[in-house]
Short mmCIF file of all heavy atoms in Angstrom, two decimals:
data_model
loop_
_atom_site.label_atom_id
_atom_site.label_comp_id
_atom_site.label_asym_id
_atom_site.label_seq_id
_atom_site.Cartn_x
_atom_site.Cartn_y
_atom_site.Cartn_z
N GLU C 115 -2.36 -8.28 8.06
CA GLU C 115 -2.47 -7.28 9.13
C GLU C 115 -2.03 -5.96 8.71
O GLU C 115 -2.54 -4.82 9.12
CB GLU C 115 -1.96 -7.66 10.40
CG GLU C 115 -2.67 -8.80 11.06
CD GLU C 115 -2.00 -10.26 10.64
OE1 GLU C 115 -1.18 -10.26 9.53
OE2 GLU C 115 -2.31 -11.20 11.27
N THR C 116 -0.89 -5.82 7.91
CA THR C 116 -0.40 -4.59 7.43
C THR C 116 -1.39 -3.84 6.42
O THR C 116 -1.64 -2.62 6.54
CB THR C 116 0.82 -4.80 6.64
OG1 THR C 116 1.89 -5.22 7.69
CG2 THR C 116 1.51 -3.50 6.21
N TYR C 117 -2.12 -4.62 5.68
CA TYR C 117 -2.99 -4.03 4.75
C TYR C 117 -4.30 -3.55 5.41
O TYR C 117 -4.92 -2.55 5.19
CB TYR C 117 -3.47 -5.10 3.65
CG TYR C 117 -2.44 -5.47 2.68
CD1 TYR C 117 -1.72 -6.51 2.87
CD2 TYR C 117 -2.02 -4.55 1.70
CE1 TYR C 117 -0.70 -6.88 1.93
CE2 TYR C 117 -1.08 -4.73 0.74
CZ TYR C 117 -0.30 -6.09 0.81
OH TYR C 117 0.69 -6.31 -0.12
N ASP C 118 -4.54 -4.22 6.59
CA ASP C 118 -5.72 -3.82 7.38
C ASP C 118 -5.35 -2.48 8.10
O ASP C 118 -6.28 -1.60 8.06
CB ASP C 118 -5.98 -4.85 8.60
CG ASP C 118 -7.04 -4.43 9.52
OD1 ASP C 118 -8.16 -4.37 9.06
OD2 ASP C 118 -6.75 -4.31 10.61
N VAL C 119 -4.21 -2.34 8.62
CA VAL C 119 -3.74 -0.97 9.17
C VAL C 119 -3.74 0.04 8.18
O VAL C 119 -4.24 1.21 8.39
CB VAL C 119 -2.36 -1.28 9.88
CG1 VAL C 119 -1.91 0.31 10.37
CG2 VAL C 119 -2.46 -2.09 11.07
N TRP C 120 -3.32 -0.13 6.89
CA TRP C 120 -3.31 0.63 5.81
C TRP C 120 -4.72 1.26 5.53
O TRP C 120 -4.96 2.46 5.60
CB TRP C 120 -2.68 0.00 4.52
CG TRP C 120 -2.54 0.78 3.40
CD1 TRP C 120 -3.00 1.89 3.05
CD2 TRP C 120 -1.85 0.29 2.20
NE1 TRP C 120 -2.75 2.37 1.70
CE2 TRP C 120 -2.05 1.35 1.28
CE3 TRP C 120 -1.15 -0.80 1.76
CZ2 TRP C 120 -1.44 1.29 -0.05
CZ3 TRP C 120 -0.60 -0.95 0.52
CH2 TRP C 120 -0.67 0.03 -0.27
N ALA C 121 -5.72 0.16 5.43
CA ALA C 121 -7.04 0.80 5.18
C ALA C 121 -7.58 1.51 6.36
O ALA C 121 -8.27 2.66 6.17
CB ALA C 121 -7.84 -0.51 5.01
N ARG C 122 -7.32 1.13 7.61
CA ARG C 122 -7.96 1.88 8.68
C ARG C 122 -7.23 3.23 8.88
O ARG C 122 -7.92 4.22 9.21
CB ARG C 122 -7.62 1.00 10.02
CG ARG C 122 -8.49 -0.17 10.13
CD ARG C 122 -8.45 -0.79 11.60
NE ARG C 122 -7.16 -1.55 11.83
CZ ARG C 122 -6.57 -1.31 12.87
NH1 ARG C 122 -6.93 -0.46 13.88
NH2 ARG C 122 -5.31 -1.97 13.12
N THR C 123 -5.89 3.25 8.46
CA THR C 123 -5.26 4.58 8.55
C THR C 123 -5.96 5.61 7.55
O THR C 123 -6.16 6.80 7.85
CB THR C 123 -3.82 4.39 8.25
OG1 THR C 123 -3.29 3.50 9.37
CG2 THR C 123 -3.05 5.75 8.28
N GLU C 124 -6.18 5.10 6.29
CA GLU C 124 -6.76 6.03 5.33
C GLU C 124 -8.13 6.48 5.73
O GLU C 124 -8.50 7.64 5.50
CB GLU C 124 -6.79 5.33 3.92
CG GLU C 124 -5.43 5.08 3.34
CD GLU C 124 -5.58 4.57 1.82
OE1 GLU C 124 -6.59 3.97 1.45
OE2 GLU C 124 -4.67 4.87 1.04
N GLU C 125 -8.90 5.56 6.29
CA GLU C 125 -10.20 5.94 6.78
C GLU C 125 -10.25 6.93 7.84
O GLU C 125 -10.94 7.93 7.83
CB GLU C 125 -11.03 4.73 7.19
CG GLU C 125 -12.42 5.06 7.57
CD GLU C 125 -13.14 3.70 8.08
OE1 GLU C 125 -12.58 2.54 7.96
OE2 GLU C 125 -14.30 3.77 8.44
N LYS C 126 -9.40 6.78 8.88
CA LYS C 126 -9.38 7.63 9.97
C LYS C 126 -8.73 8.96 9.62
O LYS C 126 -9.42 9.98 10.07
CB LYS C 126 -8.40 7.11 11.13
CG LYS C 126 -8.26 8.07 12.32
CD LYS C 126 -7.48 7.40 13.48
CE LYS C 126 -7.30 8.33 14.67
NZ LYS C 126 -8.64 8.55 15.35
N TYR C 127 -7.82 9.01 8.82
CA TYR C 127 -7.15 10.42 8.49
C TYR C 127 -7.57 11.01 7.18
O TYR C 127 -7.12 11.95 6.81
CB TYR C 127 -5.64 10.20 8.55
CG TYR C 127 -5.18 9.82 10.03
CD1 TYR C 127 -4.82 8.55 10.31
CD2 TYR C 127 -5.26 10.78 11.10
CE1 TYR C 127 -4.42 8.25 11.56
CE2 TYR C 127 -4.84 10.54 12.29
CZ TYR C 127 -4.38 9.25 12.63
OH TYR C 127 -4.04 8.76 13.83
N GLN C 128 -8.53 10.29 6.45
CA GLN C 128 -9.07 10.83 5.26
C GLN C 128 -7.92 11.24 4.27
O GLN C 128 -7.86 12.34 3.83
CB GLN C 128 -9.92 11.96 5.67
CG GLN C 128 -11.28 11.63 6.37
CD GLN C 128 -12.22 10.77 5.63
OE1 GLN C 128 -12.82 11.14 4.57
NE2 GLN C 128 -12.28 9.37 5.99
N LEU C 129 -7.23 10.26 3.86
CA LEU C 129 -6.12 10.40 2.92
C LEU C 129 -5.99 9.18 2.10
O LEU C 129 -6.44 8.06 2.39
CB LEU C 129 -4.89 10.74 3.60
CG LEU C 129 -3.90 9.68 4.26
CD1 LEU C 129 -2.57 10.07 4.48
CD2 LEU C 129 -4.48 9.26 5.62
N ARG C 130 -5.20 9.35 1.06
CA ARG C 130 -4.79 8.16 0.30
C ARG C 130 -3.30 8.13 0.36
O ARG C 130 -2.66 9.08 0.17
CB ARG C 130 -5.19 8.40 -1.21
CG ARG C 130 -6.66 8.05 -1.39
CD ARG C 130 -6.90 6.49 -1.45
NE ARG C 130 -8.27 6.15 -1.69
CZ ARG C 130 -9.08 5.91 -0.61
NH1 ARG C 130 -8.66 6.02 0.60
NH2 ARG C 130 -10.35 5.62 -0.91
N ILE C 131 -2.78 6.85 0.62
CA ILE C 131 -1.38 6.69 0.75
C ILE C 131 -0.90 6.07 -0.61
O ILE C 131 -1.26 5.00 -0.92
CB ILE C 131 -1.03 5.76 1.92
CG1 ILE C 131 -1.45 6.47 3.19
CG2 ILE C 131 0.43 5.39 1.96
CD1 ILE C 131 -1.48 5.54 4.48
N LYS C 132 -0.02 6.78 -1.17
CA LYS C 132 0.33 6.33 -2.58
C LYS C 132 1.26 5.09 -2.51
O LYS C 132 2.34 5.02 -1.84
CB LYS C 132 1.10 7.35 -3.40
CG LYS C 132 1.33 7.01 -4.83
CD LYS C 132 1.97 8.22 -5.67
CE LYS C 132 2.23 7.94 -7.06
NZ LYS C 132 2.75 9.06 -7.77
N ALA C 133 0.91 4.09 -3.27
CA ALA C 133 1.71 2.77 -3.17
C ALA C 133 2.72 2.73 -4.34
O ALA C 133 2.36 3.06 -5.44
CB ALA C 133 0.86 1.61 -3.24
N PHE C 134 3.91 2.30 -4.03
CA PHE C 134 4.95 2.09 -4.96
C PHE C 134 5.33 0.64 -4.94
O PHE C 134 5.62 0.01 -3.94
CB PHE C 134 6.13 2.95 -4.82
CG PHE C 134 5.96 4.42 -5.01
CD1 PHE C 134 5.30 5.15 -4.02
CD2 PHE C 134 6.25 4.95 -6.27
CE1 PHE C 134 5.14 6.48 -4.29
CE2 PHE C 134 6.05 6.37 -6.52
CZ PHE C 134 5.44 7.00 -5.49
N TYR C 135 5.22 -0.01 -6.18
CA TYR C 135 5.48 -1.47 -6.27
C TYR C 135 6.64 -1.87 -6.96
O TYR C 135 7.19 -1.01 -7.65
CB TYR C 135 4.16 -2.12 -7.07
CG TYR C 135 2.87 -1.87 -6.34
CD1 TYR C 135 2.04 -0.71 -6.65
CD2 TYR C 135 2.44 -2.71 -5.52
CE1 TYR C 135 0.90 -0.56 -6.18
CE2 TYR C 135 1.14 -2.56 -4.72
CZ TYR C 135 0.40 -1.52 -5.12
OH TYR C 135 -0.82 -1.18 -4.44
N PRO C 136 7.20 -3.04 -6.82
CA PRO C 136 8.28 -3.50 -7.55
C PRO C 136 8.13 -3.41 -9.06
O PRO C 136 7.02 -3.67 -9.46
CB PRO C 136 8.59 -4.97 -7.08
CG PRO C 136 7.91 -4.97 -5.69
CD PRO C 136 6.64 -4.14 -5.86
N ASP C 137 9.25 -3.06 -9.85
CA ASP C 137 9.07 -3.16 -11.17
C ASP C 137 8.82 -4.66 -11.64
O ASP C 137 9.47 -5.58 -11.25
CB ASP C 137 10.46 -2.72 -11.89
CG ASP C 137 10.41 -2.84 -13.35
OD1 ASP C 137 9.88 -1.94 -13.97
OD2 ASP C 137 11.02 -3.89 -13.84
N ALA C 138 7.67 -4.79 -12.34
CA ALA C 138 7.37 -6.17 -12.72
C ALA C 138 8.44 -7.03 -13.41
O ALA C 138 8.52 -8.16 -13.21
CB ALA C 138 5.96 -6.06 -13.60
N ASP C 139 9.11 -6.44 -14.45
CA ASP C 139 10.12 -7.13 -15.13
C ASP C 139 11.30 -7.57 -14.16
O ASP C 139 11.71 -8.70 -14.20
CB ASP C 139 10.59 -6.34 -16.32
CG ASP C 139 9.54 -6.19 -17.33
OD1 ASP C 139 8.79 -7.01 -17.51
OD2 ASP C 139 9.70 -5.20 -18.23
N ALA C 140 11.67 -6.58 -13.42
CA ALA C 140 12.86 -6.83 -12.38
C ALA C 140 12.37 -8.03 -11.42
O ALA C 140 13.19 -8.82 -11.01
CB ALA C 140 13.22 -5.61 -11.64
N LEU C 141 11.16 -8.01 -10.91
CA LEU C 141 10.59 -8.91 -9.95
C LEU C 141 10.57 -10.28 -10.59
O LEU C 141 10.98 -11.36 -10.10
CB LEU C 141 9.26 -8.49 -9.40
CG LEU C 141 8.69 -9.38 -8.32
CD1 LEU C 141 9.57 -9.60 -7.22
CD2 LEU C 141 7.24 -8.88 -7.88
N GLN C 142 10.05 -10.33 -11.88
CA GLN C 142 10.09 -11.54 -12.70
C GLN C 142 11.30 -12.14 -12.80
O GLN C 142 11.57 -13.33 -12.58
CB GLN C 142 9.37 -11.37 -14.05
CG GLN C 142 9.06 -12.55 -14.73
CD GLN C 142 8.29 -12.27 -16.01
OE1 GLN C 142 7.07 -11.89 -15.88
NE2 GLN C 142 8.93 -12.30 -17.20
N ASP C 143 12.31 -11.43 -13.12
CA ASP C 143 13.69 -11.88 -13.25
C ASP C 143 14.30 -12.32 -12.05
O ASP C 143 14.94 -13.37 -11.90
CB ASP C 143 14.63 -10.77 -13.91
CG ASP C 143 14.30 -10.45 -15.29
OD1 ASP C 143 13.56 -11.23 -16.06
OD2 ASP C 143 14.71 -9.42 -15.82
N LEU C 144 14.05 -11.66 -10.91
CA LEU C 144 14.54 -12.02 -9.58
C LEU C 144 14.02 -13.44 -9.18
O LEU C 144 14.78 -14.31 -8.71
CB LEU C 144 14.02 -11.01 -8.46
CG LEU C 144 14.36 -11.37 -7.01
CD1 LEU C 144 15.94 -10.94 -6.86
CD2 LEU C 144 13.57 -10.69 -6.12
#
């Protein structure tokens, strides 16, 4: 549902929301 709101928000307000993801190596180690 969070991804759904994300998509609807970008569509309504005509913007791109920059995503920041966990560092792959740190996540793998975790």
Side-chain angles (χ1 to χ4, degrees):
E115 291 87 347
T116 299
Y117 291 103
D118 176 64
V119 176
W120 183 348
R122 288 192 287 133
T123 300
E124 289 193 333
E125 182 178 0
K126 178 177 176 66
Y127 296 105
Q128 294 296 291
L129 80 159
R130 280 286 178 263
I131 298 167
K132 187 173 182 179
F134 290 84
Y135 298 92
D137 176 80
D139 290 337
L141 183 58
Q142 182 171 291
D143 290 345
L144 175 79

